[in-house]
Amino acid sequence: MTTVASTAALTATIDLAAIAHNVGVLRATSGTGVIAVVKADAYGHGAVPVARAALAAGARELGVAHITEALELRQAGIDAHITSWLHTPSTDFAAAVAAGIDIAVSSPRQLAAVVKAAGEAGVTTTVTVKVDTGLNRSGVAVDEWDSMAVALAKAQAQESITLRAIMTHLVRGDEPDHPLNSQQAERLDDAAADLARLGAPPQLMHLANSPAALVRPDLSRDLVRPGIALYGRTPLPDRGDFGLIPAMTLTGEISLVKKVAQGQGVSYSHTWIAPCDTVVAVIPAGYADGVPRVLSGRFEVLVNGRSFPAIGRVCMDQFVIDLGPDGGGVTEGDVAELFGRGDRGGATAADWADATGTIDYEILSAIRGRTVRRYIGGEA
Ligand SMILES: *Cc1c(COP(=O)(O)O)cnc(C)c1O
């Protein structure tokens, strides 16, 4: 996605001051240092500007899934500590070693590949071990833990690696009081103790994602790894918004205003029929840009402070809103807010998620296509 200075046809405005504010909230609630998780292009907000804003606001480190994401941050001149935790046999560990990325390994095979890359470069490289304590996704499998611990200690003794951190990911972070959260923390403590017995104690431990960082300071340990809360969305809506500020506002410039006569249908298959003579407006945003097609007819947008319903099918590039018989005073070029902070009556990403049976993580990270990003509240 490109970045523009002013409003475009379809604009995701990213408030970097909100990102900075949210870092402050997370530092306070967790009582510890923040690894700002900027994977997936910072959940659709733009990894480089978000990383810079988070670091300037006191985030201590960055976290990403793929090494390619870590390298993009380095190429932008960001020299903060970056941990990357999702690799495949074709991952370029040599590039990660050269760029000084903390590689979180999930298996003895991955560790061996990293040791090989470090050896070829003639350096000691920084490694985190990602332990599977119940999610059964990434992380060292239970049956491989003993041999992994021995291999880590050996690699450290041979100065191929420096074992910096031990991490795990919560199964039920969004149910913060579930006993599994504490059990996973205990399993991580046990794994760290195994490494200490082998002479390779990890220097740091982290397991908390956003919900735990907000309400389980006992799980904070040395660092927390929030993603969604950094972007201002509460992962625990039943327990409030924690003072977080949503960072993304999605707006579209109205491309066309026109009359539709009573009884006429609007958009593909005429799923909406005008109940009376009315005025409609076209908004240049569709499912190719991240407006879910299943949202058709189930959302409203804000124009000049007023709410107007979306009508008919959401198409690939556009959808239509009903302005009512008097046209609502809306003219071509006016700006429609699709979702935003929700503090002035408009929809939020969470409203879209609720209406489509998903979570706001998916709504935010799916904003794409012709959307251009505009940064406010800081240096882009
Ligand atoms: C994505 C991710 C996070 C951030 O999770 P949120 O629920 O968005 O806070 C933290 N840790 C790992 C390993 C992740 O993959």
Side-chain angles (χ1 to χ4, degrees):
M1 253 186 267
T2 49
T3 298
V4 288
S6 60
T7 300
L10 182 58
T11 307
T13 300
I14 312 299
D15 183 356
L16 296 173
I19 301 279
H21 168 85
N22 298 332
V23 170
V25 169
L26 287 155
R27 289 172 73 190
T29 57
S30 68
T32 192
V34 167
I35 300 177
V37 176
V38 295
K39 65 186 181 186
D41 211 6
Y43 293 38
H45 295 66
V48 169
V50 167
R52 287 205 183 104
L55 291 166
R60 220 181 279 165
E61 307 185 358
L62 303 172
V64 294
H66 292 246
I67 278 167
T68 48
E69 298 179 295
L71 296 176
E72 192 190 313
L73 295 167
R74 279 283 182 270
Q75 274 148 23
I78 294 173
D79 59 7
H81 192 93
I82 307 174
T83 305
S84 162
W85 53 70
L86 185 64
H87 324 295
T88 69
S90 65
T91 293
D92 188 356
F93 288 121
V97 167
I101 308 302
D102 182 344
I103 306 166
V105 287
S106 282
S107 73
R109 275 98 49 216
Q110 287 181 359
L111 176 62
V114 171
V115 165
K116 182 165 175 274
E120 283 165 4
V123 299
T124 302
T125 202
T126 304
V127 162
T128 288
V129 60
K130 189 167 196 278
V131 184
D132 184 354
T133 56
L135 190 55
N136 289 311
R137 200 181 68 177
S138 286
V140 181
V142 172
D143 68 306
E144 292 191 317
W145 173 248
D146 289 343
S147 59
M148 182 70 170
V150 169
L152 284 163
K154 185 174 160 219
Q156 173 143 291
Q158 292 172 343
E159 296 183 1
S160 298
I161 65 160
T162 299
L163 179 61
R164 183 167 183 269
I166 187 167
M167 68 182 278
T168 197
H169 197 43
L170 297 172
V171 178
R172 295 181 184 267
D174 56 352
E175 298 166 65
D177 301 321
H178 194 285
L180 186 54
N181 292 308
S182 298
Q183 285 164 16
Q184 287 189 266
E186 281 164 28
R187 289 172 196 158
L188 193 64
D189 289 337
D190 290 347
D194 290 342
L195 290 164
R197 266 195 301 278
L198 292 165
Q203 300 162 22
L204 301 166
M205 182 181 290
H206 46 86
L207 68 157
N209 64 335
S210 293
L214 289 165
V215 301
R216 288 291 305 266
D218 59 310
L219 301 181
S220 289
R221 306 304 160 94
D222 302 298
L223 291 162
V224 292
R225 296 191 313 268
I228 195 73
L230 191 63
Y231 306 103
R233 299 299 332 161
T234 174
L236 301 167
D238 296 345
R239 294 173 71 161
D241 66 9
F242 304 93
L244 298 165
I245 301 175
M248 184 191 292
T249 299
L250 185 65
T251 55
E253 190 182 9
I254 288 171
S255 60
L256 200 63
V257 172
K258 59 164 63 169
K259 290 179 178 161
V260 170
Q262 179 180 16
Q264 291 294 305
V266 167
S267 193
Y268 290 128
S269 302
H270 282 178
T271 57
W272 187 88
I273 307 288
C276 57
D277 289 352
T278 192
V279 180
V280 302
V282 177
I283 300 191
Y287 57 78
D289 305 297
V291 182
R293 187 171 177 275
V294 286
L295 203 57
S296 295
R298 297 156 74 179
F299 68 115
E300 300 198 332
V301 306
L302 210 56
V303 189
N304 305 327
R306 259 184 75 183
S307 239
F308 296 97
I311 52 174
R313 287 267 161 81
V314 171
C315 312
M316 184 181 286
D317 319 306
Q318 52 191 297
F319 66 88
V320 180
I321 59 174
D322 181 19
L323 300 173
D326 66 356
V330 173
T331 58
E332 292 169 2
D334 283 355
V335 173
E337 180 180 303
L338 280 58
F339 66 72
R341 289 188 184 184
D343 54 359
R344 288 169 295 110
T348 64
D351 292 329
W352 280 25
D354 290 345
T356 57
T358 185
I359 53 176
D360 42 13
Y361 291 67
E362 184 176 351
I363 298 295
L364 293 173
S365 60
I367 298 305
R368 61 186 184 278
R370 281 67 55 96
T371 313
V372 297
R373 293 199 191 104
R374 181 173 73 106
Y375 291 92
I376 60 170
E379 288 285 315

